[in-house]
Amino acid sequence: MKADGVKRFLLGAIPWLGAIALWYAVRLSGIVNPSLIPAPHAVAMKFFELLMHEGLLVDVWASTQRVTLGVLLGIAAAVPVGFLLGWYRPARTLADPMINFFRALPPIALIPLVIVYFGVDETAKLVVLFYAAFFSGVIVMYEGVSQITPLYIRVAQTLGASELEIFRKVIIPLTVPHILTALRVALGVAWATLVASELIAAQRGLGALIQNASTYFLLDVIYVGIICIGFVALVMDMILRMISKRLLVWQERAVA
Amino acid sequence: MTSESNKRTRAQFEHVSLAFDTPKGKLQIVDDVNYSINDGDFIAVIGPSGCGKTTMMNMLAGFQKPTGGRVLFDNAPVNGPGPERGVIFQEYGVFPWLTVRQNIAFGLTLRANRVAPSEREAICDHYLSLMGLSDFANSFPKHLSGGMRQRLAIARAYAVKPQFLLMDEPFGALDAQTRANMQNLLLQVLAAEGKTVMLITHSVEEAIYLASRIVVVTARPARIKEIIEVPFPYPRDESIHERPEFGQLRSYIRELVMSEYRAQQAQTSFSE
Ligand SMILES: Nc1ncnc2c1ncn2[C@@H]1O[C@H](COP(=O)(O)OP(=O)(O)OP(=O)(O)O)[C@@H](O)[C@H]1O
Ligand SMILES: [Mg+2]
């Protein structure tokens, strides 16, 4: 068991080592001007410098907090809405085109309007993240809920279940996997939207860090910011995957 | 368990028809089906695949409304499913998110037929051992074979003791020995609890062995081809398989079913 874990860890490390090697290779090959590609070790050094002296953790925390809050609020709204759309066909026919319209809008395009209506403080960033999380989550929810087969509901009915019992004992367990998938999708989209939301005059945050660094052409700082976003997003996804695995032991296959 | 005239009528198909709207127009599935099921009857329905047997049962279970005629249960038009009509579905419908034991207990945790936890556990243990699932009590259905899932679905339906059982090919996925076991178990349950049953099957032997009456239906659209009284009194045991009347009845019904099967083949090759 333990040896298996070590093996998995090593296997997982190979692509990372490969990526770093490729990074060095590109830099050394001279295809790109080396001054445009900071070396991995330089980026690592910058990382420790920012961590120790520039409060990198404050940025990480600010962004993580925004993303988490935006996703939680977005999904809290997407679950009931997606559920209704998936469950009641007429509601779906009614709302489908509109949902797809708003979903197709990149959140970045909304930023000027958000600034007009919500100003430039924390609320404005939350609104953009909420928007991104809501529309990505709602689609996953309603696609999932509309695929629930009536068979299980019929079985419960013939065993004497009331509407409420069917909801509690059949529909909720069948919905949980879709809520978890919606959370994972929304998290991905929210991290992608983060930089955009922090364009709205954020003081701190990984998006702000990247933004400020780009003004001064500090490539190594940009790299640090990007890697941090990827890393925190990866950790959050791993946590969600662990929760899914716990909750969905019954599924034929683990959630991909 | 024969259909004596003093028995109360439980279910009635009154000139029942059903047509589905399809892109290619109306598709007639059930056509003018007319028969009744009395208290204590055991009806077996037999007919070629895709002819409309499940559809017929769905109307009595309350999942589908006839487009013509009426389906009555206890003299009232069927208006949705209910716990007095237990259903064993052709696709089993075992709940994947519950363990085997929790699946059997499901009905007993509902308000309609809730029992004390100790009694619930006793009922679960009883059916777990009857169905040969004790070793898998705490497994999830993903670890069960098809036949085991089918037995689990049967256990779950029996556990709430419905007076009327609708069984859609309930033993179809079982090997011959398990199947014989399940048939005998069903006969025991019926003798003890006096249920009324509508069973859909493809096995002529099974129909004769279990049923008091056999309804042979035609290829789609399902009409009644013939209703045959099975002359063997209950309680029955496997020795009736050896009786000469059994063999005669079997050949007779087989021929009826085969002719419908041939009719269906001819139909489908025409439409293609
Ligand atoms: N919702 C539906 N819309 C259109 N056609 C349907 C629908 N449901 C069932 N059918 C058709 O009705 C016919 C009868 O189906 P049914 O499930 O009742 O057959 P069956 O006699 O139970 O067959 P089997 O023995 O294979 O289980 C089939 O040809 C099927 O394609
Ligand atoms: Mg069927």
Side-chain angles (χ1 to χ4, degrees):
Chain A
M1 206 62 194
K2 198 126 193 189
D4 213 49
V6 172
K7 204 167 143 193
R8 266 230 304 274
F9 178 80
L10 288 178
L11 271 177
I14 290 175
W16 297 105
L17 297 175
I20 292 171
L22 187 70
W23 185 351
Y24 272 118
V26 170
R27 189 180 147 82
L28 296 175
S29 69
I31 303 171
V32 187
N33 182 346
S35 68
L36 294 181
I37 303 185
H41 60 265
V43 171
M45 259 146 66
K46 194 74 195 173
F47 171 79
F48 285 111
E49 186 194 320
L50 290 177
L51 191 67
M52 298 321 231
H53 306 296
E54 307 276 338
L56 180 62
L57 280 180
V58 177
D59 292 310
V60 169
W61 172 241
S63 294
T64 308
Q65 202 187 18
R66 281 172 194 141
V67 165
T68 310
L69 202 60
V71 165
L72 286 182
L73 292 176
I75 293 300
V79 165
V81 172
F83 185 83
L84 287 177
L85 293 177
W87 203 249
Y88 299 103
R89 205 163 276 281
R92 192 169 170 183
T93 321
L94 205 72
D96 216 19
M98 197 153 217
I99 296 250
N100 280 315
F101 173 84
F102 282 111
R103 192 173 67 113
L105 293 179
I108 302 175
L110 296 175
I111 285 176
L113 277 183
V114 170
I115 292 176
V116 170
Y117 298 125
F118 296 93
V120 291
D121 59 5
E122 210 53 32
T123 322
K125 291 171 211 84
L126 263 184
V127 166
V128 176
L129 285 170
F130 172 87
Y131 182 95
F134 176 80
F135 282 103
S136 54
V138 106
I139 300 281
V140 173
M141 274 301 292
Y142 94 65
E143 288 290 338
V145 169
S146 62
Q147 273 163 26
I148 292 180
T149 57
L151 177 64
Y152 299 123
I153 293 158
R154 290 182 167 188
V155 170
Q157 285 174 326
T158 63
L159 291 168
S162 65
E163 297 270 310
L164 189 69
E165 283 170 325
I166 290 175
F167 185 76
R168 273 187 30 233
K169 296 179 175 230
V170 178
I171 294 175
I172 290 187
L174 285 174
T175 310
V176 169
H178 304 301
I179 296 178
L180 290 168
T181 312
L183 266 175
R184 286 187 62 200
V185 171
L187 260 185
V189 174
W191 277 108
T193 311
L194 177 78
V195 181
S197 95
E198 287 179 350
L199 274 174
I200 315 173
Q203 305 285 320
R204 308 292 324 214
L206 290 168
L209 180 84
I210 294 171
Q211 208 44 55
N212 295 336
S214 79
T215 336
Y216 301 103
F217 210 67
L218 303 171
L219 280 174
D220 47 358
V221 177
I222 295 179
Y223 271 80
V224 171
I226 289 171
I227 291 171
C228 281
I229 290 180
F231 186 72
V232 178
L234 185 71
V235 168
M236 284 172 95
D237 194 63
M238 263 160 60
I239 292 171
L240 256 184
R241 260 210 322 229
M242 252 154 57
I243 296 173
S244 301
K245 224 168 152 180
R246 271 282 157 76
L247 285 179
L248 305 178
V249 272
W250 54 270
Q251 281 199 331
E252 297 278 352
R253 56 194 165 82
V255 208
Chain B
M1 296 234 325
T2 46
S3 50
E4 296 151 28
S5 50
N6 60 351
K7 288 269 170 77
R8 190 161 61 102
T9 303
R10 292 305 303 271
Q12 273 167 286
F13 288 83
E14 278 186 359
H15 301 286
V16 171
S17 301
L18 187 131
F20 282 118
D21 282 319
T22 67
K24 286 189 201 155
K26 266 206 180 338
L27 185 66
Q28 192 75 32
I29 306 292
V30 177
D31 188 20
D32 196 31
V33 162
N34 206 23
Y35 67 95
S36 49
I37 304 176
N38 294 331
D39 202 23
D41 273 358
F42 192 128
I43 302 287
V45 178
I46 198 162
S49 175
C51 72
K53 304 180 293 298
T54 299
T55 309
M56 211 187 274
M57 198 175 92
N58 277 343
M59 289 190 278
L60 182 50
F63 299 128
Q64 216 139 41
K65 289 231 181 300
T67 47
R70 297 197 302 170
V71 180
L72 304 177
F73 186 76
D74 286 342
N75 299 314
V78 171
N79 189 21
E84 70 289 342
R85 279 159 290 147
V87 179
I88 296 170
F89 291 83
Q90 191 169 10
E91 312 89 342
Y92 321 151
V94 163
F95 299 133
W97 63 93
L98 298 179
T99 63
V100 168
R101 176 183 283 278
Q102 290 167 334
N103 260 285
I104 300 178
F106 184 89
L108 303 168
T109 63
L110 301 172
R111 266 254 284 295
N113 28 35
R114 186 170 292 161
V115 296
S118 58
E119 190 184 341
R120 189 171 71 217
E121 294 313 304
I123 296 175
C124 285
D125 288 333
H126 175 69
Y127 285 108
L128 280 168
S129 78
L130 271 185
M131 299 293 160
L133 292 171
S134 300
D135 291 345
F136 291 85
N138 299 314
S139 306
F140 285 101
K142 66 174 174 182
H143 296 302
L144 302 185
S145 71
M148 291 161 95
R149 287 178 207 201
Q150 190 159 40
R151 281 179 274 154
L152 177 55
I154 297 170
R156 183 178 59 186
Y158 285 0
V160 297
K161 299 193 163 45
Q163 313 152 301
F164 199 109
L165 263 177
L166 297 158
M167 311 173 85
D168 198 348
E169 299 182 34
F171 311 133
L174 305 177
D175 62 83
Q177 286 75 25
T178 315
R179 190 175 183 131
N181 265 338
M182 290 291 136
Q183 291 170 348
N184 291 329
L185 178 67
L186 176 58
L187 286 175
Q188 282 164 29
V189 170
L190 297 185
E193 298 173 17
K195 292 183 197 302
T196 310
V197 181
M198 176 176 175
L199 168 105
I200 295 173
T201 180
H202 283 291
S203 158
V204 176
E205 279 90 352
E206 179 167 280
I208 303 174
Y209 182 44
L210 296 175
S212 56
R213 257 190 302 157
I214 299 174
V215 176
V216 180
V217 291
T218 62
R220 202 182 67 218
R223 290 192 209 92
I224 292 186
K225 184 164 176 89
E226 195 164 328
I227 297 183
I228 296 139
E229 297 280 338
V230 180
F232 307 116
Y234 296 94
R236 293 180 188 168
D237 60 52
E238 291 186 40
S239 68
I240 70 163
H241 285 103
E242 317 304 328
R243 305 257 287 266
E245 304 98 300
F246 190 98
Q248 286 156 14
L249 203 53
R250 183 177 55 197
S251 321
Y252 179 69
I253 296 173
R254 256 197 198 147
E255 190 39 51
L256 286 178
V257 175
M258 276 312 285
S259 72
E260 281 314 311
Y261 177 73
R262 283 192 295 266
Q264 189 193 42
Q265 292 296 92
Q267 234 177 44
T268 45
S269 49
F270 262 124
S271 61
E272 268 156 18

